[in-house]
Amino acid sequence: MDNLDGAFSWNVTITGDIMSSQSILAGVNQEKFTEFLDISVFIDLYYKGFFIQTNKHRFGDYVNGAELGYELLVNEKYEIDLISKTYLPGFSSDTAELVYEREIPELAGIDEREFLSSQGIRYMGYLPSSVYWIDWAVNLLNSEHRGWVIDGFYSYILQRRNWDINFGGGISLFSSNMNGYYFSVKPEEATQDRPVYDAGAGYRLQLEAFVQRPLSEGWLFNAGVTFSHYSKSISDSPIIDRQNALRAQIGVSYVF
């Protein structure tokens, strides 16, 4: 909802989805019906260049939460923003057991990997039917690691009647400090079946497609699929089960 002078705007989106999601974490798999259901609430705010937003151009990125930022320069062709966002989701044995309501022996005894945000700068370019961006960010606000990430993505938007169709692809490069924080196995975490492991630097490739169609005023139909491929420095970790992961979902959203 916008105010009269346009300086402040907001919207709230509630989504309900049926989702099939492959986790790369060892021992983490969907089994019960409720684990295929997802209800999420997204809040977008804007005020005089400051923003909290979900990335509407990247279907597979919503799991990392909202982006916080400030617009340094905006015109019709491009914008430059200061940003703070999470590029890799955190996890722990306790949170996995809480979500899936069962023990995950493969993750038992590991330290928590927190949802850590990184701060940096984004260049976003606008083309007639597409948008692309590149982020460079460093974990500045936490002492767990000082790793950096370079994240680039391209999204092509196709409109057919009432359908909005998006195709996208991108790559995220993670420094050894950042990658190691999430995927290394420290000596105190090691067991007979989980040896010490140093992840080093790594990357993630993603391809995705998603569609939206208005059903009525406020209601949207959503469907999409995201394919993720991880470097061997990640997939070789003893706490990781697979190198490739697929997530697909279908559902509806209501936008206030």
Side-chain angles (χ1 to χ4, degrees):
M1 179 178 294
D2 297 338
N3 69 354
L4 295 178
D5 62 9
F8 175 73
S9 63
W10 66 270
N11 69 63
V12 176
T13 304
I14 300 176
T15 66
D17 296 291
I18 298 174
M19 178 174 62
S20 176
S21 180
Q22 293 179 325
S23 174
I24 64 170
L25 294 175
V28 177
N29 298 292
Q30 292 172 298
E31 295 180 1
K32 296 184 296 183
F33 175 74
T34 54
E35 294 168 4
F36 292 86
L37 301 178
D38 178 74
I39 297 176
S40 301
V41 178
F42 304 103
I43 300 175
D44 293 74
L45 299 172
Y46 177 89
Y47 180 69
K48 293 184 177 180
F50 294 94
F51 59 82
I52 301 174
Q53 67 183 18
T54 51
N55 194 329
K56 295 178 175 59
H57 299 289
R58 191 166 185 172
F59 182 71
D61 208 36
Y62 86 99
V63 292
N64 294 331
E67 305 170 344
L68 285 71
Y70 178 75
E71 297 173 338
L72 293 175
L73 177 63
V74 180
N75 59 43
E76 293 182 353
K77 294 183 177 180
Y78 66 90
E79 69 177 84
I80 299 174
D81 303 327
L82 296 177
I83 58 164
S84 178
K85 63 169 291 185
T86 300
Y87 291 89
L88 284 170
F91 59 91
S92 71
S93 58
D94 291 339
T95 56
E97 290 174 7
L98 179 64
V99 170
Y100 291 92
E101 297 181 338
R102 58 180 177 271
E103 293 185 0
I104 312 292
E106 293 87 345
L107 300 180
I110 67 168
D111 293 337
E112 180 181 7
R113 275 70 164 167
E114 298 182 26
F115 275 83
L116 299 177
S117 61
S118 295
Q119 293 70 46
I121 192 165
R122 165 178 293 168
Y123 176 89
M124 177 175 283
Y126 298 102
L127 300 173
S129 298
S130 60
V131 60
Y132 65 92
W133 65 87
I134 185 166
D135 299 354
W136 178 80
V138 180
N139 175 34
L140 297 175
L141 301 182
N142 306 95
S143 59
E144 282 77 3
H145 71 80
R146 296 297 184 193
W148 53 260
V149 55
I150 297 175
D151 180 69
F153 200 80
Y154 173 85
S155 179
Y156 179 78
I157 303 103
L158 182 66
Q159 293 183 322
R160 288 292 183 268
R161 297 186 178 181
N162 290 332
W163 292 90
D164 288 337
I165 308 168
N166 290 255
F167 301 98
I171 184 171
S172 303
L173 306 175
F174 308 114
S175 72
S176 57
N177 283 354
M178 185 172 185
N179 210 46
Y181 172 77
Y182 288 98
F183 304 115
S184 289
V185 175
K186 296 176 289 187
E188 57 268 29
E189 298 176 310
T191 66
Q192 184 176 354
D193 299 319
R194 188 169 62 217
V196 173
Y197 180 74
D198 183 10
Y203 65 84
R204 177 186 60 200
L205 297 172
Q206 287 189 313
L207 297 172
E208 65 179 38
F210 69 95
V211 298
Q212 286 188 322
R213 186 184 190 279
L215 299 174
S216 63
E217 185 176 357
W219 285 98
L220 293 171
F221 167 81
N222 312 285
V225 60
T226 300
F227 171 79
S228 301
H229 169 82
Y230 295 83
S231 64
K232 285 188 66 63
S233 61
I234 296 174
S235 63
D236 283 349
S237 170
I239 59 175
I240 299 300
D241 249 359
R242 55 171 57 93
Q243 189 169 19
N244 302 312
L246 194 67
R247 182 170 66 86
Q249 63 191 78
I250 185 170
V252 293
S253 303
Y254 186 81
V255 183
F256 292 89

